Amino acid sequence: VPLQRGLTANLRQPLMVLWAAVAVVLLIACVNLAGLMFARGAGRGREIATRMALGSGRAAIVRQLVVESAILAITGAALGCVLGIAILNGLTGIAEHALDLWQPVSLDIRTVSAAALVALVATLLFGVIPALQSTRGSTPPPLGSAGTRTVAGASSHLPRRAAVVLQVALGVMLLVGAGLLSRTFTHLRGLEPGFDGRGVIAASVSLQDSRYQSTQGVLRLTSDALDRLRESPGIESAAVSLGLPYERLLNLSFKHLDGREANNKPPMTSATYIAGDYFATLRIPVRRGRVFESRDRAGAPGVVIVNETIVREYFGGVDPVGRRIGIAGMEREIIGVVGDVQLRPGFGQRGPLAPMPLAYIPLAQTTDGMLRLMHGWFSTAIIVRARDSAAVAAPVLRQAVDRVDPLLPFADVRSMEAVQLQAVALPRLLMVLLLVLAGAAAALTAVGMHGLISSAIAERTRELGIRMALGASPGRAVRTVVVPGVILALIGIALGSLGALSAVGLVRSFVWGVSSTDPVTFLSVAAFFIVLAALASIAPALRILRLDPATTLRAE
């Protein structure tokens, strides 16, 4: 595996999703501007026709229109770079935990070059085609057919209508993805943690050290640290564990004993060692049996505590207390059952967080080989519950460990609330960015709809004046220009919904707790765009109410 691919394996898919969303917004912007350029070209039809009638070549006029489009694109790219610099720090703050950023992110020549390339591509997308459309044909259309402010030809409307349909379709696809990720984040944040993290802080330390290659060495360190913490003012209880809830823990297979046949494929469980008042510190409920005691030391019969998910998945819901399993290098008796906590799964299709099968092993009964294996992959957590303020407990925790081993570095000191937030950092990042991009897409779509209706009113001023002079009511005149816009939006919504169903596989691996074809999300997005289309269409159409038919006809 190439080194870069190996280092970015966990980042590739979410970043590709974000790139796809950015590309959709850029495409919507280009289509929007193309529609506006079509409308502008129609408005300048008499000017272009006059130029061509006076001998100007089509190539010269197309070149002028493309240059105007290029100025818009270059200005937009420059403004984008300036805004990018302004919001870069904010985005980095959101993304650093989700993407494990370990190098600074800054605007450099590669970013500026990419922006310049995007500006060039955007020019081609929204500049060339409208320019060719405005000058097509051997006879200048405005001099060979109706005038600019009469009834526009049907062919002049088609590109702009297609642009509106495409904008709505792309916006629907983007907003459906953002909606699914929003519902996923809400689901993950609403999961019952299984413990009480208020007032609890945890320090992560690495014990992959030559001084801690044996269980006895680790026991001396943790026992001394826990004794000092218990004697410290402001500390209610303290414990040690391999990893924390909301994190990924060691995965082990185990065997059913007591005469029960093992399957061909042994069942899997997450596993952690603990010491001190672990269940009391985190307030994890004990459902049955007992917790570890001082008698559960090295040389004593092996014991293990399991969670409710193990009981449900591997013991058929039958009380397993007193039964024996083979796990972590020895036979152990199940002495208790505790409640589930949320973990990052290491096996199975369970989502970003789930109540995984989990076995708790006393640190004193962990073999030297198993301990070295654990410390090679995971950090040890020292956990304390403060009596009053967690902020007061943090320096106490640092001082207690520093007195026991001043050479032991802290990797991190966090509250359990911070641990929980970090566990959902990636879904939160995807949700926030997709919502922002979807909002931009919706705004661009509204602008496109507004521009379409405004240009249609400008082109049909004489027609609408005649209708109203012949007795058409203002309301009917408004409906004449609003209904086509809403119909275009409905077509775009239908196409966008079909596109979202086809493209939902791009975000399926990030969607949990809700179906990737969730009807509530699809219907909500459809309703939103219908309302958006109606508002974007009605706002310019209300100008018709101010039209004076007589004045309009005299002006024509």
Side-chain angles (χ1 to χ4, degrees), residues 473-495:
S473 65
R476 184 170 182 178
V478 169
R479 288 196 299 272
T480 301
V481 294
V482 169
V483 170
V486 175
I487 292 176
L488 291 177
L490 292 175
I491 296 173
I493 290 169
L495 295 177

Side-chain angles (χ1 to χ4, degrees), residues 195 202 244-247 414-424:
F195 65 93
L244 294 165
Y246 285 107
E247 296 181 343
R414 299 168 292 168
S415 67
M416 289 307 298
E417 288 87 351
V419 173
Q420 181 181 10
L421 288 175
Q422 188 168 348
V424 295

Side-chain angles (χ1 to χ4, degrees), residues 70-86 107 111-112 115-116 118-119:
I71 292 174
L72 288 175
I74 293 171
T75 305
L79 181 59
C81 289
V82 172
L83 292 176
I85 295 174
L107 189 71
T111 312
V112 176
V118 167

Side-chain angles (χ1 to χ4, degrees), residues 37 73 93 107 118 122 133 135-136 150 169 208 219 226-227 234 245 251 259 357 370 374-375 391 421 452 496 498 544:
M37 295 300 288
L107 189 71
V118 167
Q133 172 76 13
T135 59
R136 78 174 191 273
T150 57
Q208 192 178 13
L219 276 174
L226 291 176
D227 288 342
N251 303 139
M370 181 60 67
M374 292 176 169
H375 291 164
L421 288 175
L452 174 70
L498 292 176
I544 297 174

Side-chain angles (χ1 to χ4, degrees), residues 88-120:
L88 187 59
N89 291 335
L91 288 178
T92 303
I94 296 175
E96 60 182 356
H97 294 301
L99 303 180
D100 294 328
L101 298 179
W102 54 279
Q103 285 186 332
V105 179
S106 60
L107 189 71
D108 56 17
I109 187 63
R110 294 175 299 175
T111 312
V112 176
S113 300
L117 179 61
V118 167
L120 175 61

